[in-house]
Amino acid sequence: MSEPFVTRNDITSWGRVVREPQHVATPRFLDQLPPLVDAARNSSLLASGLRRSYGDSCLNGDGDLIDMSKLDRIIHFDSANGILRAAAGASFSAILQLIVPHGWFLPVTPGTRFVTLGGAVANDVHGKNHHTAGTFGRHVRAIGLLRSDRGRLTLTPQTEPSLFASTVGGLGLTGLIEWVEIDLVKIDSAYLESETVPFENLDAFWDITEASAEKFEFTVAWVDCLARGDNLGRGIFSRADWTPYGSFDSHRDGTLKRIPADAPNFVLNRMSISAFNELYYRVNKARSGKKLQHYAPFFYPLDAVHGWNKLYGGKGLLQYQCVVPRATERTAIRTLLETIAADGQGSSLAVLKTFGDLPPVGLLSFPRAGTTLALDFPNRGAATLALLARLDAIVAEAGGALYPAKDGRIPSDMFQRSFPRWQELQRDPLMSSDFWRRVAI
């Protein structure tokens, strides 16, 4: 351990499977970062944000970790032109509370607002508007990067195109991201007109998603991964556009409910998940149709409950998110759902989304044209790992890839096959992570 890093046992990723101690420093000012880089020169280093990555890409158990979450200052907000520069630890939640009353919104957002700007760049996150806006990195104007071998740099797509492409989606391995400048998008209110459309099987999903892609800015589907036979792939499709109706009120974080402790491991079993899926499908089918909806429940439904990952019990959860290309998506998604349903280790949180054709700017960005499927599995040890290995084989045969931000156990050969340019990453010689040591051998 390097001074002034201290050993902490409370640092985990969102999946909470890895429980190894971490050596952590928590700076409050950007000027503290160069001395921390010097202090870690005999070890390895990684920046960490709010740790909503599920696997081990945000952990560095063999080295040192810098908790960036206190480096959250807004550096500049141009409310006339929609340009924001903030320190890397600024959360999407805090940014939204600043910009929404001025009529601006984030260009791309994942399914939680409790991510940092630096984490959004490092994982080149995507959202429900990928088919219209691409990934977050496409909207980044500049990045302040501190490297152990080159000092402080300002990256733009024009001035440092190669290092910029490595840093966007680069898993925090190209240096410490100190600040980020982004373009915002104009909104006419804080509300969307959303529509809920139930679909009875996978064929119906493809019909709805094709009909919605050109008409709606935001699309996503929940799918019942335990449904079989004629109902295989049934689910609830959500689509929406911004509306001028409503005010510019931002969300509030002070009234969120909290999960105080781990749920017993037996709570989430095939029977309970099947019952939940059946209820969720029927309730939302009954509520189908259009409605005016604030951005918070539409984009961030799970954020309503702090610590929802504790519902998966003390052993944690393994999220599995893959993307399969357009040429093989229909066969591969069907085979994946058939395999999951037959195995019985279901997920109550299964998301199906079609990515658009806009290419990412990041060298290791996960999104690509095709369809992505994301599922949360309670960690049942060998049984869960065996199921995920079978899913790996289906994804590999389809020419697909797994999402490093969600991964906790991808084999190195599959990572390297999924990201064939991984060796071109301009990694800072000091930066590393548990994930990188596992996959880049």
Side-chain angles (χ1 to χ4, degrees):
M1 181 176 68
S2 309
E3 296 293 343
F5 296 84
V6 298
T7 300
R8 291 177 56 179
N9 296 312
D10 61 329
I11 301 295
T12 65
S13 66
W14 193 245
R16 302 170 73 231
V17 173
V18 178
R19 306 292 180 99
E20 299 297 326
Q22 302 287 312
H23 310 136
V24 186
T26 309
R28 293 182 177 274
F29 302 98
L30 291 178
D31 286 348
Q32 293 176 265
L33 292 178
L36 290 174
V37 170
D38 289 337
R41 287 192 183 279
N42 293 324
S43 179
S44 66
L45 191 62
L46 184 71
S48 176
L50 294 173
R51 294 185 297 280
R52 290 302 177 111
S53 294
Y54 285 69
D56 52 2
S57 64
C58 62
L59 301 176
N60 191 29
D62 289 344
D64 297 323
L65 199 67
I66 296 182
D67 179 353
M68 301 286 286
S69 61
K70 302 300 182 186
L71 299 172
D72 57 356
R73 187 166 63 91
I74 303 297
I75 299 172
H76 178 69
F77 173 39
D78 180 349
S79 61
N81 297 298
I83 300 172
L84 180 129
R85 177 181 290 194
S91 72
F92 276 21
S93 184
I95 292 171
L96 288 170
Q97 288 174 330
L98 169 68
I99 65 175
V100 167
H102 293 274
W104 297 99
F105 203 79
L106 293 162
V108 168
T109 178
T112 175
R113 61 182 179 270
F114 298 117
V115 297
T116 63
L117 261 183
V121 171
N123 294 287
D124 198 13
V125 297
H126 59 273
K128 295 180 175 68
N129 60 344
H130 182 274
H131 61 290
T132 58
T135 61
F136 189 78
R138 294 178 61 89
H139 308 273
V140 174
R141 298 166 58 91
I143 299 168
L145 188 71
L146 173 61
R147 282 184 66 99
S148 66
D149 56 352
R150 295 180 59 189
R152 279 186 159 134
L153 305 171
T154 296
L155 312 181
T156 73
Q158 295 77 35
T159 59
E160 289 263 8
S162 180
L163 186 53
F164 185 89
S166 277
T167 301
V168 174
L171 303 171
L173 297 168
T174 64
L176 293 177
I177 297 174
E178 293 191 295
W179 54 264
V180 181
E181 183 175 290
I182 60 172
D183 284 318
L184 305 173
V185 295
K186 192 70 176 171
I187 54 175
D188 294 323
S189 82
Y191 290 77
L192 303 104
E193 183 177 82
S194 66
E195 184 175 10
T196 299
V197 185
F199 54 93
E200 60 186 11
N201 53 40
L202 205 49
D203 290 335
F205 165 78
W206 297 118
D207 292 341
I208 296 171
T209 197
E210 285 184 1
S212 303
E214 294 185 359
K215 298 179 179 178
F216 293 88
E217 184 174 357
F218 304 100
T219 63
V220 71
W222 169 86
V223 61
D224 181 355
C225 67
L226 288 178
R228 308 174 71 169
D230 293 340
N231 293 129
L232 181 79
R234 73 173 179 177
I236 304 295
F237 197 93
S238 298
R239 53 194 186 189
D241 287 316
W242 289 109
T243 175
Y245 304 109
S247 60
F248 287 101
D249 52 322
S250 59
H251 65 278
R252 297 180 180 179
D253 287 333
T255 58
L256 300 181
K257 299 178 180 177
R258 289 182 179 273
I259 302 297
D262 291 332
N265 290 322
F266 61 81
V267 169
L268 292 179
N269 53 51
R270 181 186 176 95
M271 185 177 296
S272 64
I273 293 174
S274 180
F276 172 86
N277 286 1
E278 182 70 28
L279 179 64
Y280 187 87
Y281 178 77
R282 290 182 179 276
V283 167
N284 284 280
K285 184 178 181 180
R287 295 175 177 172
S288 61
K290 296 180 179 179
K291 63 182 176 182
L292 193 67
Q293 194 170 18
H294 189 260
Y295 71 81
F298 180 78
F299 290 117
Y300 314 113
L302 291 176
D303 283 348
V305 181
H306 264 316
W308 62 261
N309 53 343
K310 294 179 182 177
L311 293 172
Y312 286 80
K315 295 181 180 178
L317 71 144
L318 291 160
Q319 184 165 96
Y320 191 89
Q321 182 162 4
C322 65
V323 57
V324 286
R326 196 145 292 150
T328 58
E329 61 187 2
R330 298 200 177 208
T331 299
I333 295 297
R334 177 173 292 278
T335 306
L336 287 167
L337 291 176
E338 288 175 341
T339 302
I340 295 166
D343 182 273
Q345 292 188 70
S347 166
S348 56
L349 194 67
V351 176
L352 199 56
K353 159 75 182 165
T354 299
F355 286 150
D357 296 325
L358 292 170
V361 298
L363 189 68
L364 298 184
S365 295
F366 163 72
R368 57 204 72 181
T371 295
T372 181
L373 176 65
L375 310 104
D376 288 346
F377 292 101
N379 177 23
R380 297 193 174 93
T384 306
L385 294 176
L387 170 61
L388 300 188
R390 294 200 297 276
L391 303 184
D392 285 351
I394 298 167
V395 174
E397 185 176 353
L402 302 187
Y403 193 3
K406 302 292 183 68
D407 175 68
R409 43 96 257 163
I410 180 176
S412 60
D413 61 337
M414 183 154 186
F415 169 78
Q416 294 172 17
R417 190 168 53 241
S418 301
F419 300 91
R421 299 180 65 190
W422 68 276
Q423 290 179 304
E424 299 176 34
L425 184 73
Q426 295 185 29
R427 187 168 69 90
D428 184 308
L430 188 60
M431 308 302 286
S432 187
S433 68
D434 290 356
F435 175 88
W436 192 250
R437 289 188 289 274
R438 182 163 55 81
V439 303
I441 299 173

